[in-house]
Amino acid sequence: MERTSLTVVALLVCLSVAVVKAEDPYLFFEWNVTYGTISPLGVPLQGILINGQLPGPRINCTSNNNIVVNVFNHLDEPLLLTWNGVQQRKNSWQDGTPGTMCPIMPGTNFTYRFQVKDQIGSFFYFPTTDLHRAAGGFGGINVHSRALIPVPFDNPADEYNVFVGDWYNKGYKSLKKILDGGRTIGRPDGIHINGKSVKVGDKVAEPFFTMEAGKTYRYRFCNVGMRTSVNVRFQGHPMKLVEMEGSHTVQNIYESLDLHVGQCFSVLVTADQEPKDYYMIVSSRFLKQAHLSSVAIIRYANGKGPGSSDLPTPPPENTEGIAWSINQFRSFRWNLTASAARPNPQGSYHYGKINITRTFKIVNSRSEVDGKLRFALNGISHIDADTPFKLAEYFGATEKFFKYDLMADEFQTDLNKVTVAPNIKNATFRNFVEIIFENREKTIQTYHLDGYSFFAVAIEPGMWSPEKRKNYNLVDAINKHSIQVYPNSWAAVMTTLDNAGLWNLRSEMWERFYLGQQLYFSVLSPARSLRDEYNLPDNHPLCGVVKGMPMPSPYKA
């Protein structure tokens, strides 16, 4: 009996150890990235497909899942994919930007390994190399709550990913030549929905999505375009906003919603109208002397009859439209009663009571340098180097490529004086920072920060000053990873820099990104500990001057 009892105890101990050491589930993907003929606006072009698809394969996962994506590059150019909105905790090695990774060379493959740690929500991936974003290569990342975590709405009958954005008929290689030659790519030629463009009354158009009467559906929208904000709306069906870039929202009802470049949100739509066809409408916002639009057919199962050509009215444009859009932004609120993965610091409901330790005031500008178009932040127009900056840091070779802090924390110089150089900002690990984006131009801006989410506490017309802090939402601002800045306006965000690594802060308007409107925050942990940051992965390719250099001492626990 005693021996049996000891055996049982030993087995229980072994089982408990196994449970403690058990990892979160793994999801494996194999992607082949190729060229293919696409025609989003009816003009055949060379595009970028993943497994022959546009949009590419969807990553459908759950909080804390480990994602393994083996990417084979069949293009004739180097390639990187980034995971827009995935925070890559302690792991900027997988971020997929030219400042953090060597590209996947033609004819080779690379396996991304990352965890969607403490996140839920709607995100997307896309290529960051050259001007590949203008050629496709995008797809969805849907991160669901774990089974035991209640979601603040009933399970929908189905989920649909909707990728919208502007499109150019010149082709991405021609667009790249234009930018390399120092000129602007100008206005886009149209709007696409999931890589297609349909007009009202198009008799050959097939339905994009199907709904059954009486059921509710979740639509996950992402703006994957190059520069154009859009407005989305459904004919005869209001939208209930439930999630925005990883945060459950207060569930307000909207007839139409603005969606800016690089941003995502989820809405619930209930099929409660007469069973027939209806249109989803996507139209451009804030494009002077141009109004672009496309529609998608939403079909009721067993419905009868085509959609009506009487479309819902778009929101106003010009100054009135900006005021309308700002007011809509102010209506977005974080759902504090929802159970879900929380931003770091974990469970931080009281971000408004944390002392700000550093303020970055960033002003964008457009100018010419040696007769060529450049875009800048606080007078610095970023350029990449042959060796990724993260690798240069890791191998102790930074002096060969860049100087830290060329860009001042606060803009102090003439907007027309621009320095073209790598823009790397030193940032203190675990500081709580405020970032002010001030837009003195006449065009809307959108910014994204890799590695983090931030509290979008304010957007207002005019110029920022410290007394504007009294207008911040310090209670329930949406926690997200991107922010729009309207013409002649400013936006303020707050975050804790608790994710060690090198992280890209960029314009999501890809012409601006390509020509310098970006920077990297270097957030180093003084402890050089695995508790704060992972070591260079074994499969990580080396390039530039670090190739062949002796490996640095690894971080330790």
Side-chain angles (χ1 to χ4, degrees):
M1 286 291 292
E2 184 177 350
R3 179 175 295 179
T4 302
S5 299
L6 288 173
T7 302
V8 170
V9 170
L11 284 170
L12 289 173
V13 169
C14 290
L15 285 171
S16 66
V17 169
V19 170
V20 169
K21 291 186 176 180
E23 290 188 83
D24 290 292
Y26 279 76
L27 300 179
F28 296 89
F29 302 87
E30 183 174 296
W31 290 357
N32 288 282
V33 183
T34 62
Y35 294 119
T37 301
I38 58 175
S39 52
L41 304 183
V43 177
L45 297 168
Q46 183 186 62
I48 293 176
L49 308 178
I50 300 179
N51 291 354
Q53 306 171 36
L54 182 72
R58 180 172 64 182
I59 297 177
N60 209 35
C61 58
T62 300
S63 292
N64 291 355
N65 280 177
N66 294 284
I67 311 300
V68 181
V69 187
N70 192 2
V71 178
F72 290 82
N73 179 12
H74 298 285
L75 309 182
D76 58 9
E77 302 169 304
L79 172 73
L80 279 174
L81 294 174
T82 195
W83 320 91
N84 210 57
V86 176
Q87 292 177 19
Q88 306 287 4
R89 303 298 301 177
K90 306 193 295 185
N91 199 18
S92 62
W93 302 113
Q94 306 293 316
D95 198 35
T97 62
T100 58
M101 296 180 64
C102 301
I104 308 169
M105 299 306 291
T108 68
N109 70 298
F110 175 77
T111 302
Y112 289 91
R113 296 182 175 91
F114 58 89
Q115 186 179 26
V116 285
K117 180 70 173 171
D118 296 327
Q119 288 190 263
I120 58 98
S122 306
F123 312 106
F124 68 97
Y125 59 83
F126 69 92
T128 57
T129 33
D130 279 335
L131 217 61
H132 290 153
R133 179 162 173 161
F138 55 78
I141 308 171
N142 299 348
V143 187
H144 298 267
S145 291
R146 287 174 286 183
L148 297 178
I149 305 297
V151 175
F153 49 87
D154 293 335
N155 287 334
D158 206 343
E159 291 190 348
Y160 297 125
N161 285 84
V162 189
F163 302 100
V164 301
D166 54 18
W167 192 263
Y168 290 79
N169 282 333
K170 290 185 176 69
Y172 82 95
K173 291 184 178 180
S174 296
L175 295 175
K176 182 178 183 297
K177 287 180 181 178
I178 291 170
L179 293 180
D180 290 344
R183 295 175 291 131
T184 177
I185 58 175
R187 292 188 180 90
D189 295 299
I191 299 289
H192 75 86
I193 303 173
N194 283 359
K196 299 177 181 178
S197 183
V198 174
K199 300 303 179 185
V200 172
D202 190 338
K203 295 182 180 180
V204 298
E206 293 295 322
F208 279 61
F209 310 107
T210 300
M211 302 196 297
E212 293 185 26
K215 294 185 177 181
T216 298
Y217 295 80
R218 182 175 185 171
Y219 289 82
R220 296 178 184 256
F221 285 90
C222 292
N223 187 336
V224 297
M226 292 284 285
R227 63 175 292 178
T228 307
S229 297
V230 298
N231 180 268
V232 300
R233 52 203 184 273
F234 287 79
Q235 187 179 44
H237 294 75
M239 298 174 287
K240 179 185 288 186
L241 182 68
V242 294
E243 177 261 332
M244 182 174 285
E245 296 182 12
S247 290
H248 290 308
T249 62
V250 173
Q251 295 179 11
N252 295 325
I253 305 296
Y254 298 89
E255 296 298 325
S256 70
L257 282 162
D258 279 354
L259 181 60
H260 306 281
V261 182
Q263 298 184 355
C264 298
F265 58 61
S266 294
V267 297
L268 298 180
V269 176
T270 299
D272 56 3
Q273 300 298 308
E274 177 188 352
K276 61 174 186 175
D277 287 355
Y278 294 87
Y279 287 114
M280 171 200 297
I281 305 97
V282 180
S283 57
S284 61
R285 295 285 276 149
F286 316 121
L287 276 183
K288 290 185 178 181
Q289 301 174 344
H291 182 77
L292 307 173
S293 66
S294 184
V295 299
I297 296 174
I298 311 297
R299 176 159 294 171
Y300 274 61
N302 301 316
K304 297 179 181 179
S308 167
S309 60
D310 185 14
L311 301 183
T313 304
E317 287 287 342
N318 303 320
T319 303
E320 183 184 355
I322 291 172
W324 183 96
S325 195
I326 290 176
N327 285 333
Q328 185 173 87
F329 162 82
R330 290 172 178 162
S331 74
F332 302 148
R333 291 288 189 268
W334 194 21
N335 188 343
L336 299 182
T337 65
S339 298
R342 291 291 179 186
N344 288 293
Q346 283 297 312
S348 177
Y349 295 93
H350 305 298
Y351 63 93
K353 297 181 179 179
I354 305 174
N355 291 329
I356 297 168
T357 53
R358 190 173 181 183
T359 296
F360 300 94
K361 182 181 176 183
I362 298 174
V363 179
N364 52 276
S365 62
R366 169 184 176 140
S367 59
E368 287 192 357
V369 177
D370 296 329
K372 292 187 174 183
L373 178 65
R374 296 295 303 183
F375 297 96
L377 298 174
N378 287 7
I380 307 297
S381 185
H382 175 83
I383 53 172
D384 291 313
D386 292 336
T387 303
F389 308 114
K390 179 61 181 173
L391 282 175
E393 278 190 336
Y394 194 73
F395 281 83
T398 56
E399 71 281 353
K400 298 179 183 292
F401 300 103
F402 65 89
K403 293 181 180 179
Y404 291 102
D405 298 322
L406 284 182
M407 188 190 89
D409 285 8
E410 185 167 343
F411 182 71
Q412 298 171 333
T413 59
D414 183 348
L415 281 171
N416 294 316
K417 293 181 179 179
V418 171
T419 299
V420 179
N423 193 357
I424 318 294
K425 288 291 291 180
N426 258 323
T428 304
F429 187 48
R430 295 195 174 119
N431 264 13
F432 186 72
V433 302
E434 170 189 51
I435 306 175
I436 312 298
F437 299 99
E438 193 171 274
N439 178 17
R440 301 178 187 177
E441 297 185 59
K442 296 179 180 179
T443 55
I444 192 170
Q445 310 291 316
T446 309
Y447 292 95
H448 163 86
L449 177 59
D450 279 351
Y452 298 93
S453 58
F454 47 61
F455 298 98
V457 295
I459 294 178
E460 288 190 358
M463 298 177 67
W464 183 86
S465 58
E467 60 268 20
K468 298 291 186 180
R469 292 187 179 119
K470 69 180 184 294
N471 299 333
Y472 287 4
N473 176 359
L474 299 180
V475 177
D476 58 356
I478 292 290
N479 191 257
K480 60 204 303 285
H481 58 76
S482 67
I483 189 74
Q484 69 272 19
V485 194
Y486 297 92
N488 299 308
S489 300
W490 58 268
V493 304
M494 295 171 154
T495 193
T496 301
L497 298 178
D498 62 347
N499 192 13
L502 191 78
W503 305 107
N504 191 217
L505 173 68
R506 60 176 174 263
S507 171
E508 283 288 281
M509 336 291 270
W510 219 243
E511 174 183 60
R512 289 175 170 266
F513 168 86
Y514 186 81
L515 294 180
Q517 196 167 310
Q518 57 169 309
L519 60 84
Y520 286 88
F521 281 120
S522 175
V523 185
L524 296 177
S525 167
R528 291 180 61 86
S529 169
L530 288 175
R531 292 189 302 271
D532 300 327
E533 186 175 10
Y534 297 139
N535 282 310
L536 177 73
D538 292 339
N539 72 326
H540 203 290
L542 300 180
C543 55
V545 300
V546 303
K547 192 172 184 179
M549 289 179 66
M551 290 296 296
S553 299
Y555 296 161
K556 298 180 180 180

